[in-house]
Amino acid sequence: MAGLTLLGEYGSDSSESENSECENSLKRPLTAASCASSELEPGSKIMKLPLPSVLFGPLEIPQDVQDDPNLHQGRIRSFPHVKGNWATYVYVSGLEGTLSDIELLQHDLQMVCAELPIKLEQIEDPHLSLSRVVTIKYDWIQPLMSSLKRSLAPFPRFKIKFMDIYILLNEEKTRTFICLGLDQSDRILRDLVSVIDANLAEFDLPAFYAQPKFHISLLWALGDQTLAFKARLPALRATFISWLDTLPSKDVQVSQLKSKSGNKIFMFPLGTS
């Protein structure tokens, strides 16, 4: 309050007498006559400048953003929303020509579980995650993205192969996923994760899972539904195999990675150096 007290004393009688010459020159309207003389005319009155009203009102303390799961299909944040922090992750998206096929698989798998008393939602943008979702400051976005682009450019384009159906539960045990499993023996995915982790470590951000199970999430449901979905796993796998037989190729070309930070999307072409 000492700072506010000092500000409140600006323009008081004591300061007025000590700094009258400064006030006369600063507060007197600038006219041709005033320019010719530095003295005030007899009977003239000095007008005090009002202090900003914010100095006398209550201090406004920013309120925490209250997360309402009802606005997000019941989903709960993995970490609290903090103003100025941007959720960020690295991934493979689009899957170059197979998105319409994956949407068909989503529908067919959803039909397999239609009799369960569980509401299944489709993932709107199926993708392969290569990092955790981390939060970064706005000022970190460009340095991190530039670093990732340099580090990922030497990697060649590669292919991913669809292998199985997985049932996975998130760390918070708030959502269960039906996923398209990928070939886990492909070394390039682990090498990519290692390079991405090294870049994130420069900003003190957490690494990916120690033993990642590479997958593309297709459907999700609230809560721990692993037992119910695993009971349907034979039918889910049969549906996957039938779908796989319709594809012209069992693997998909990947020519770029992406990173999403808030509402910004950055692209990292592969094999460019």
Side-chain angles (χ1 to χ4, degrees):
M1 294 300 295
L4 292 179
T5 302
L6 290 174
L7 288 171
E9 290 174 356
Y10 173 81
S12 66
D13 292 339
S14 59
S15 61
E16 184 177 309
S17 60
E18 294 171 0
N19 300 290
S20 59
E21 293 184 3
C22 293
E23 290 178 345
N24 291 347
S25 60
L26 291 175
K27 297 180 180 179
R28 186 171 66 252
L30 185 62
T31 63
S34 63
C35 292
S37 173
S38 61
E39 297 182 357
L40 291 173
E41 296 179 1
S44 61
K45 186 177 181 180
I46 298 175
M47 299 297 294
K48 295 180 181 179
L49 294 175
L51 291 174
S53 59
V54 69
L55 295 178
F56 303 104
L59 294 177
E60 293 186 4
I61 301 175
Q63 299 296 317
D64 293 335
V65 175
Q66 299 297 320
D67 184 39
D68 185 357
N70 293 324
L71 300 177
H72 310 285
Q73 298 174 296
R75 290 173 292 178
I76 300 173
R77 289 181 180 273
S78 300
F79 43 81
H81 173 82
V82 178
K83 187 176 181 179
N85 284 0
W86 292 54
T88 302
Y89 60 100
V90 183
Y91 63 103
V92 176
S93 178
L95 303 176
E96 303 184 16
T98 64
L99 188 56
S100 59
D101 296 317
I102 288 178
E103 289 174 348
L104 178 60
L105 178 60
Q106 287 176 302
H107 174 268
D108 290 346
L109 294 175
Q110 203 167 18
M111 291 300 99
V112 172
C113 299
E115 294 181 3
L116 294 175
I118 300 170
K119 185 177 181 181
L120 262 177
E121 302 284 356
Q122 292 190 11
I123 301 291
E124 293 182 359
D125 180 22
H127 62 270
L128 163 62
S129 293
L130 295 177
S131 79
R132 291 178 184 266
V133 178
V134 299
T135 57
I136 65 176
K137 300 294 185 184
Y138 178 81
D139 292 343
W140 295 3
I141 295 177
Q142 198 58 54
L144 175 58
M145 298 304 152
S146 297
S147 179
L148 285 169
K149 187 174 184 178
R150 288 191 302 270
S151 300
L152 297 173
F155 279 88
R157 298 180 179 185
F158 63 95
K159 292 183 178 182
I160 56 176
K161 188 175 182 180
F162 305 135
M163 295 294 291
D164 200 0
I165 291 294
Y166 298 156
I167 307 299
L168 300 176
L169 182 65
N170 67 354
E171 285 185 302
E172 298 79 17
K173 299 183 179 181
T174 58
R175 288 201 290 167
T176 308
F177 297 85
I178 298 177
C179 310
L180 183 57
L182 305 179
D183 184 0
Q184 305 298 311
S185 64
D186 197 340
R187 184 67 196 178
I188 193 168
L189 292 178
R190 299 181 187 279
D191 291 341
L192 285 166
V193 167
S194 294
V195 169
I196 293 168
D197 281 349
N199 279 269
L200 295 176
E202 294 294 322
F203 294 82
D204 294 324
L205 297 171
F208 204 38
Y209 305 101
Q211 297 294 327
K213 197 167 187 177
F214 296 108
H215 64 277
I216 298 169
S217 295
L218 301 177
L219 304 167
W220 66 270
L222 290 175
D224 184 349
Q225 309 294 345
T226 51
L227 291 178
F229 290 155
K230 284 184 177 180
R232 296 279 175 156
L233 197 52
L236 292 169
R237 282 177 169 156
T239 300
F240 160 69
I241 292 171
S242 297
W243 170 81
L244 199 61
D245 289 339
T246 66
L247 299 182
S249 175
K250 303 299 185 288
D251 47 33
V252 179
Q253 177 81 17
V254 177
S255 60
Q256 68 177 0
L257 305 186
K258 295 182 181 180
S259 180
K260 187 173 183 179
S261 188
N263 59 357
K264 299 176 181 293
I265 295 179
F266 301 82
M267 300 183 182
F268 311 123
L270 300 174
T272 57
S273 66

